[in-house]
Amino acid sequence: VKEPVKEPKKKKRKIETPVFFDEALNVNIDIPVELKYILCRDWDNIVNKKRLFRIPAKVTVTNIIDQYISHLTTTPPANSSSADNSSVKKSLAVEVIRGFGDYFNVSLGSQLLYSFERYQYKQDCESAGAVQPCDVYGSQHLLRLMLKIGDYLSASKFSDAHVKLVEDQLEDFLVYLNTNRSMFFMKKSYYNASPEYVQKNAKLIAS
């Protein structure tokens, strides 16, 4: 009697979820609904529609951080008596925001990309020599980082006061991004990936 032929098990397809689904729970701030929508749209464009964020970005992470710091340093205090205290707070804010840029450069390749973006990253960063990710990537990837800051804070040895400082600055920065979202988050920033790109990216992931 012949034994029944066993059909090979089909591999379950791994479904990538929007980056903020889990990480947002680790951040003690209110995330503007509009920015959550932008992250969902970003995920849909890349994971479902096989589109890519245009690199180099028209407005890079470095540009956004520099514009925000300029905004911080040129905003006058509410009253003259609080000028000294405001100056200290602005200095701390600038330090934190600069730190976001450093985190971005370190974490982009390993934590902020969907699998469909791997070959693009290899082309535009790994193969380009001394290029810093913050000088070529833009708003969408920066927004992904903002929702992962909670992971970094929970793994750090920062004091409660330091964590609160970072969370406060993060919340202010997200408000700034949301207020200026029409300038930073443009739908035309995406383009359809070519069949050649899809093939090369699949080969890279499989290797």
Side-chain angles (χ1 to χ4, degrees), residues 11 115-116 118-119 122 197-207:
K11 291 184 179 180
S115 59
F116 191 66
R118 298 303 312 175
Y119 188 71
K122 181 179 179 180
Y197 175 90
V198 175
Q199 185 178 17
K200 289 182 176 179
N201 188 69
K203 185 177 180 180
L204 177 65
I205 295 172
S207 62

Side-chain angles (χ1 to χ4, degrees), residues 26-84:
N26 296 324
V27 186
N28 189 30
I29 61 167
D30 291 325
I31 302 159
V33 173
E34 295 86 353
L35 296 186
K36 288 183 179 180
Y37 172 75
I38 288 171
L39 281 164
C40 280
R41 189 179 67 201
D42 176 49
W43 166 79
D44 184 51
N45 271 313
I46 294 167
V47 175
N48 292 330
K49 297 179 180 178
K50 303 303 178 187
R51 308 184 78 201
L52 291 168
F53 189 83
R54 197 172 301 280
I55 304 296
K58 188 172 183 180
V59 182
T60 66
V61 170
T62 297
N63 295 149
I64 295 171
I65 288 176
D66 286 346
Q67 286 180 41
Y68 182 64
I69 289 175
S70 177
H71 163 75
L72 285 177
T73 54
T74 56
T75 303
N79 55 71
S80 57
S81 62
S82 63
D84 291 340

Side-chain angles (χ1 to χ4, degrees), residues 63-151:
N63 295 149
I64 295 171
I65 288 176
D66 286 346
Q67 286 180 41
Y68 182 64
I69 289 175
S70 177
H71 163 75
L72 285 177
T73 54
T74 56
T75 303
N79 55 71
S80 57
S81 62
S82 63
D84 291 340
N85 188 39
S86 177
S87 179
V88 172
K89 287 184 177 179
K90 286 179 180 179
S91 295
L92 290 172
V94 169
E95 183 180 343
V96 171
I97 298 303
R98 290 288 186 205
F100 289 164
D102 294 335
Y103 274 131
F104 185 85
N105 287 329
V106 171
S107 62
L108 176 71
S110 60
Q111 299 180 49
L112 302 181
L113 299 176
Y114 292 112
S115 59
F116 191 66
E117 299 172 293
R118 298 303 312 175
Y119 188 71
Q120 183 188 43
Y121 174 74
K122 181 179 179 180
Q123 282 183 307
D124 295 317
C125 279
E126 290 184 347
S127 302
V131 174
Q132 292 285 7
C134 64
D135 292 331
V136 290
Y137 281 81
S139 56
Q140 301 288 3
H141 294 83
L142 176 62
L143 187 55
R144 296 180 200 176
L145 172 72
M146 295 299 98
L147 280 304
K148 284 184 174 286
I149 294 296
D151 282 347

Side-chain angles (χ1 to χ4, degrees), residues 4-10:
V5 178
K6 293 183 179 180
E7 295 185 2
K9 292 182 179 180
K10 293 182 179 179

